[in-house]
Amino acid sequence: MGLFDEVLNAVNSPDRQGSMDQIGGILNTVQQLSGNAGTDSNTMQSAMGIVGNFVRSSLQEKRVTQGEQQTQSIVDQFSGTSPNSQAVNSLFSGAMQQQVAQAISQRTGLDANMALQMLPVLVPLVLKFLQSGASSQNPQSGGNSVLNSFLDADGDGDVDISDAMGLASRFMRR
């Protein structure tokens, strides 16, 4: 099952944290960020997808070195729709932040400094998206289907964050 299917299942499940309001809040924040940056939402969704790929690598490493519960704890602690530089610092070193900004710049045409300034918004948004599959009763249970699907992606054509955001946007007709 792809990432988008996992998000839909989480949104439709009363025992998961995901909701249409949550996804709508993420999409609204992406649209606001697009407006503030003077770009379109497709460019911002691409930037979010690039950030998502770096977040995936960081969370995969943390899951291996610190365990599944600690990885879920990072998602829970730093997810949101407000800027949070601690979220960025918890996942990326300073050099890695520069690398993420350069990747965004190269692939979207956004200025690298602007991309760097967007990370405190984009990283919590990616984490908020991943939080949707966590149990609403016991988030630390390790049963976050969205996070597990995201971290187990192996490049075999499964949907990534930017694709899932685009599908969610079309699904919600935004």
Side-chain angles (χ1 to χ4, degrees), residues 106-121:
Q106 290 170 356
R107 299 204 356 236
T108 67
L110 291 171
D111 178 73
N113 288 327
M114 180 182 286
L116 193 60
Q117 292 172 3
M118 288 183 204
L119 289 181
V121 176

Side-chain angles (χ1 to χ4, degrees), residues 21-35:
D21 287 341
Q22 177 193 33
I23 301 301
I26 293 169
L27 293 172
N28 286 339
T29 304
V30 168
Q31 287 175 340
Q32 288 173 348
L33 190 57
S34 299

Side-chain angles (χ1 to χ4, degrees), residues 137-157:
Q137 305 300 317
N138 184 7
Q140 293 298 313
S141 67
N144 184 335
S145 58
V146 173
L147 179 61
N148 291 336
S149 176
F150 179 71
L151 294 180
D152 290 336
D154 56 6
D156 64 357

Side-chain angles (χ1 to χ4, degrees), residues 4 27 42 45 161-171 174:
F4 182 69
L27 293 172
N42 288 336
Q45 285 178 10
I161 282 278
S162 71
D163 292 335
M165 289 297 299
L167 289 168
S169 182
R170 284 193 294 273
F171 180 77
R174 293 186 178 222

Side-chain angles (χ1 to χ4, degrees), residues 7-150:
V7 171
L8 279 181
N9 285 341
V11 165
N12 290 322
S13 175
D15 65 333
R16 298 289 166 198
Q17 291 185 24
S19 70
M20 293 306 279
D21 287 341
Q22 177 193 33
I23 301 301
I26 293 169
L27 293 172
N28 286 339
T29 304
V30 168
Q31 287 175 340
Q32 288 173 348
L33 190 57
S34 299
N36 294 345
T39 188
D40 59 51
S41 10
N42 288 336
T43 300
M44 200 54 61
Q45 285 178 10
S46 293
M48 194 166 166
I50 294 163
V51 170
N53 288 333
F54 281 94
V55 167
R56 176 186 294 127
S57 295
S58 180
L59 289 177
Q60 284 172 328
E61 182 181 321
K62 289 191 183 299
R63 186 169 69 171
V64 167
T65 60
Q66 299 174 13
E68 196 170 315
Q69 284 188 335
Q70 181 60 28
T71 304
Q72 180 65 50
S73 179
I74 290 168
V75 171
D76 292 338
Q77 182 177 358
F78 296 115
S79 69
T81 56
S82 299
N84 186 339
S85 57
Q86 288 181 341
V88 179
N89 295 332
S90 74
L91 293 174
F92 305 132
S93 66
M96 182 60 73
Q97 291 174 35
Q98 292 292 330
Q99 187 177 350
V100 174
Q102 286 298 324
I104 291 170
S105 178
Q106 290 170 356
R107 299 204 356 236
T108 67
L110 291 171
D111 178 73
N113 288 327
M114 180 182 286
L116 193 60
Q117 292 172 3
M118 288 183 204
L119 289 181
V121 176
L122 292 174
V123 170
L125 285 175
V126 169
L127 297 176
K128 184 76 171 168
F129 194 78
L130 297 175
Q131 188 181 36
S132 65
S135 168
S136 54
Q137 305 300 317
N138 184 7
Q140 293 298 313
S141 67
N144 184 335
S145 58
V146 173
L147 179 61
N148 291 336
S149 176
F150 179 71

